[in-house]
Amino acid sequence: MFNIDKSLQITEKLNPQNLIIAGWTGRNISAVQRHIEELAELGVTAPKKIPALYKVSSTLLTTADSIEVVGMASSGEAEFCLFYIDGKCFVRVGSDHTDRKLEVSDITLSKQVCAKPISAQYWSLEDVIGHWDELILKSYVQIDTQERLYQDGSVREILHPTTLLTLCESENILTKYSVLFSGTLPIDGPFVHADYFRCELIDPVLGRTLECAYQIKVL
């Protein structure tokens, strides 16, 4: 099991140098396989193994309230984000914004061409690890000023943080200053290119919420 330093200090500056995007991280392997088959029908190549880990540039991370994309084929997705800083771990919520058209031919490149918005606020993992499976992920899309729920589920549907970190360590891609995007929940319907995307990580036990929200501007 992955060990996390319990002497966490929230005052520490988060300065990641390594960004890892995890995919196909559902705890229900049968459901993951069904989703892979559904995407294969849309032309998306199945991963060589699951879970899959994709390395992209850490410069894509942003807390800005807007991002720029090329074309109308991109969409966001809610994920919890683990900031692993020299043995200490913090949690944010973010969006693995992805170019869906490009995803058909090259998954890594489809992630590399889009910024990765994250919440400005964060929690120590130590504060939530004891009730982790109680946390809730939600996302919303807005088109023409109308917002609707896009994703809604428990983080228990996604691999546990210690499992994800152990996986990265076993693949020798976890450095002292890394960020890991967790993989996401099912969406309500097809992918949606929205004008605005908002996601939340909700802690009902401690009564608090992390939020990431941004405009999507087409170049």
Side-chain angles (χ1 to χ4, degrees):
M1 182 175 179
F2 195 89
N3 293 317
I4 297 171
D5 190 333
K6 295 185 178 181
S7 60
L8 299 176
Q9 298 295 324
I10 299 300
T11 56
E12 192 163 331
K13 182 179 179 181
L14 303 183
N15 185 30
Q17 300 169 359
N18 183 36
L19 175 55
I20 306 161
I21 308 292
W24 321 107
T25 55
R27 296 190 196 181
N28 185 327
I29 300 300
S30 297
V32 171
Q33 189 58 48
R34 286 196 301 271
H35 186 50
I36 289 173
E37 292 168 358
E38 290 169 353
L39 289 179
E41 293 178 359
L42 300 176
V44 178
T45 302
K48 294 180 180 179
K49 63 178 180 178
I50 55 174
L53 301 173
Y54 306 96
K55 290 193 66 175
V56 296
S57 173
S58 62
T59 60
L60 296 173
L61 292 167
T62 180
T63 57
D65 59 7
S66 69
I67 66 170
E68 295 179 329
V69 299
V70 177
M72 303 287 289
S74 69
S75 63
E77 54 188 38
E79 308 198 4
F80 63 83
C81 307
L82 303 175
F83 277 66
Y84 181 74
I85 311 296
D86 199 14
K88 303 174 184 179
C89 202
F90 305 87
V91 182
R92 297 194 188 195
V93 68
S95 172
D96 176 20
H97 205 93
T98 300
D99 186 308
R100 303 301 170 185
K101 185 176 181 179
L102 190 55
E103 188 176 33
V104 172
S105 58
D106 191 320
I107 294 178
T108 303
L109 187 57
S110 72
K111 298 179 179 301
Q112 176 64 45
V113 299
C114 296
K116 305 300 179 194
I118 54 173
S119 61
Q121 302 299 315
Y122 53 89
W123 303 327
S124 70
L125 181 58
E126 182 64 19
D127 287 346
V128 293
I129 199 71
H131 58 276
W132 179 261
D133 281 358
E134 301 302 314
L135 304 186
I136 298 166
L137 263 178
K138 291 188 177 185
S139 74
Y140 304 82
V141 292
Q142 180 177 303
I143 302 174
D144 297 330
T145 74
Q146 298 298 312
E147 185 179 79
R148 72 168 178 85
L149 186 65
Y150 191 57
Q151 295 171 286
D152 185 6
S154 168
V155 296
R156 67 168 59 93
E157 297 182 46
I158 302 170
L159 291 176
H160 193 274
T162 53
T163 302
L164 289 170
L165 290 169
T166 298
L167 176 64
C168 291
E169 189 177 47
S170 69
E171 295 289 332
N172 295 317
I173 60 173
L174 188 70
T175 67
K176 290 179 19 176
Y177 303 97
S178 294
V179 176
L180 172 64
F181 274 57
S182 65
T184 194
L185 300 170
I187 62 174
D188 182 15
F191 291 125
V192 172
H193 173 82
D195 304 318
Y196 180 83
F197 186 87
R198 180 167 66 89
C199 54
E200 299 175 325
L201 182 61
I202 302 165
D203 181 349
V205 175
L206 297 181
R208 57 185 182 172
T209 299
L210 295 174
E211 182 181 79
C212 170
Y214 59 97
Q215 298 281 345
I216 299 102
K217 299 179 180 179
V218 179
L219 294 173

